[in-house]
DNA sequence: TTTATAAAACCTGTCCGACAGGTTGAATTG
DNA sequence: CAATTCAACCTGTCGGACAGGTTTTATAAA
């Protein structure tokens, strides 16, 4: 319940807020808190660290923006479930400030998702396999509504990451969703014909079936093909 | 210079700080700011958004903790260079709250770093290749000092990521450094003999040479072997 | 006119106090 | 013993204040 007093002197970057952030994360660790567990109140921390409530607030808010903790008015702060929020903001920041380009995003996604499809084929539950196949089929069903196709596509990829049973993969795949929402329509439009678009949907379905069949090699290769063709389409659209 | 007034109504989560965070990131995007560019002052934003300075401060501080912006006393906030700070905090949070285990970290690292070594072999400059080889050799040179070996090991992996010329890979590899610093000694100790430890160093040198030689297949396979053997060592140490 | 210096204006970091609500747990009451 | 009420807590937001650090402006010197 109390913050370890000896650890107050974090390797903080000069300002008190960093110190407070360190103290809070330290508190989580030393007390082995898990998602949902409550943190000390602002006033308590303020007293224990001998800093003003403002400093503690800024620390709490920072951790909340990163989704490491949850804040609720009236209630105490709680430890949060893992979430891709922070990484999403970071990736989008990188793209918007021209420090990351779309090809680099695609390369990372391809690398990660070849692995998630492999793992999904090995570890998916039947229910997960059905959901994945459902998303793939929804893309074809809603063919005329590009927005719905996109959302199903995103959900498809995320569900595969979930089925890999490694939350880090889910976070990374999730983190790219924001950027993907902006580039997806470009890829869709840049396909030369509806035939090509149907072909893309076909790959999704085959991939879902490979995962359902528990065939990791096939799943991985289909994912690679999917990304290669998407990259080609994007290239055709002039995204160097 | 001014915040787009129509965008003030972000999809904010009820609280004003989220709104402010959205307004600031929006400002960066609409004005196409890059690293080093200055942001409006707290007072300015406070007026434009019609919120108190406290709210703007918490928003700024949140973005600073995520390393999206840099704060300096007296100076205006500036757009920050991409950095793995936010992701590191997130990963460490996940590990410490038992939402992520070490095997999952290793799987992600293996996946990512097989790719970075492939790319490094293809894209590295001569200078980068020399630095990578230098880190590998330093591991053997400082064999007796485990701490130095570890730091060279970490630097080795990070430099390979840099040589891949994809900043996202650098970020991800960097994000795992904090966790790795905690698990590395376990792996080092769990090696059965000094011979095994030398063998591990040997792989690093061979990998560096593969990258120097521009052989992506060899580099990738050596990286895979490295991770497989590390995983084995960790397993032997009882890390399920 | 140009340059160097000094002053003013600006800016962030931190603290304090205040008040509106939302939440929680304990005392009171039926 | 259960339901209700109330007091204590807690967070969200605001405003003001002051110590430094920084930038710009104005002034003086060369």
């Amino acid at each position: 319940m109390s913050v370890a007093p000896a650890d107050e002197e974090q390797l903080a970057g000069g300002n008190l807020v960093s110190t407070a952030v360190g103290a809070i994360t330290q508190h989580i660790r030393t007390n082995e808190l898990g998602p949902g567990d409550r943190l000390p109140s602002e006033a308590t921390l303020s007293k224990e660290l001998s800093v003003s409530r403002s400093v503690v607030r800024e620390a709490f808010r920072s951790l909340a923006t990163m989704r490491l903790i949850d804040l609720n008015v009236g209630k105490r702060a709680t430890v949060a479930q893992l979430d891709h929020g922070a990484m999403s903001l970071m990736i989008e920041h990188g793209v918007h400030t021209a420090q990351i380009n779309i090809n680099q995003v695609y390369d990372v996604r391809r690398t990660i998702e070849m692995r998630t499809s492999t793992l999904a084929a090995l570890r998916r539950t039947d229910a997960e396999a059905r959901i994945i196949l459902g998303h793939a089929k929804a893309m074809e069903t809603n063919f005329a509504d590009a927005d719905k196709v996109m959302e199903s596509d995103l959900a498809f990829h995320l569900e595969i990451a979930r089925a890999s049973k490694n939350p880090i993969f889910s976070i990374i795949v999730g983190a790219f969703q924001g950027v993907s929402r902006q580039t997806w329509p470009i890829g869709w439009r840049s396909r030369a014909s509806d035939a090509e678009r149907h072909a893309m949907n076909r790959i999704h379905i085959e991939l879902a079936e490979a995962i359902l069949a528990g065939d990791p090699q096939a799943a991985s290769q289909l994912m690679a093909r999917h990304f290669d063709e998407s990259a080609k389409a994007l290239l055709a659209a002039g995204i160097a």
Side-chain angles (χ1 to χ4, degrees), chain A residues 130-141:
Chain A
R130 275 195 301 275
I131 294 175
I132 292 168
L133 186 57
H135 288 312
K137 285 182 175 167
M139 291 175 67
E140 192 61 19
T141 307

Side-chain angles (χ1 to χ4, degrees), chain A residues 1 17 24-25 38 41 46 54 78 88 137 170 213 233:
Chain A
M1 177 54 89
V17 177
I24 296 167
T25 56
R38 295 198 310 175
S41 72
S46 173
S54 323
T78 56
S88 293
K137 285 182 175 167
S170 302

Side-chain angles (χ1 to χ4, degrees), chain A residues 12-230:
Chain A
N15 63 63
L16 297 183
V17 177
S18 305
T19 311
V21 168
I24 296 167
T25 56
Q26 199 62 43
H27 175 90
I28 294 175
R29 289 166 200 187
T30 56
N31 296 59
E32 297 186 356
L33 302 187
D37 290 345
R38 295 198 310 175
L39 292 166
S41 72
E42 294 175 358
T44 304
L45 275 170
S46 173
K47 245 177 274 174
E48 293 200 29
L49 299 175
S50 307
V51 295
S52 70
R53 195 186 147 208
S54 323
V55 170
V56 175
R57 275 194 64 72
E58 288 180 24
F60 267 132
R61 182 68 65 179
S62 295
L63 293 172
T65 303
M66 268 193 293
R67 315 282 189 87
L68 300 193
I69 66 175
D70 289 321
L71 297 181
N72 296 289
V73 16
K75 296 193 225 182
R76 299 260 279 275
T78 56
V79 176
Q81 205 110 34
L82 222 41
D83 179 89
H84 61 80
M87 194 174 168
S88 293
L89 279 173
M90 194 182 68
I91 295 293
E92 280 162 47
H93 179 257
V95 171
H96 284 290
T97 58
Q99 301 185 71
I100 297 176
N101 67 47
I102 301 301
N103 288 319
Q104 292 166 335
V105 171
Y106 262 72
D107 193 18
V108 175
R109 284 193 58 194
R110 193 189 122 114
T111 303
I112 293 283
E113 299 205 33
M114 280 182 66
R115 181 65 178 160
T116 56
S117 48
T118 299
L119 292 176
L122 295 170
R123 303 179 179 167
R124 93 287 180 286
T125 64
D126 287 352
E128 285 162 349
R130 275 195 301 275
I131 294 175
I132 292 168
L133 186 57
H135 288 312
K137 285 182 175 167
M139 291 175 67
E140 192 61 19
T141 307
N142 302 308
F143 189 84
D145 188 338
D147 243 32
K148 281 188 187 168
V149 177
M150 175 174 81
E151 289 305 326
S152 293
D153 191 359
L154 293 175
F156 172 86
H157 287 274
L158 190 57
E159 189 61 29
I160 291 175
R162 283 218 192 87
S164 80
K165 304 291 192 296
N166 185 331
I168 310 177
F169 285 131
S170 302
I171 288 172
I172 296 177
V173 171
F176 288 116
Q177 285 204 340
V179 179
S180 297
R181 273 203 183 78
Q182 302 179 342
T183 58
W184 193 93
I186 301 172
W188 185 251
R189 279 197 302 273
S190 74
R191 254 91 179 174
S193 63
D194 269 2
E196 275 190 40
R197 286 184 265 271
H198 282 298
M200 167 175 135
N201 289 356
R202 180 92 224 118
I203 289 189
H204 281 82
I205 290 175
E206 284 174 28
L207 177 43
E209 285 167 347
I211 289 172
L212 178 63
D215 186 341
Q217 271 85 22
S220 166
Q221 277 169 21
L222 283 163
M223 186 62 92
R225 221 175 84 205
H226 170 37
F227 273 102
D228 290 341
E229 296 190 1
S230 292

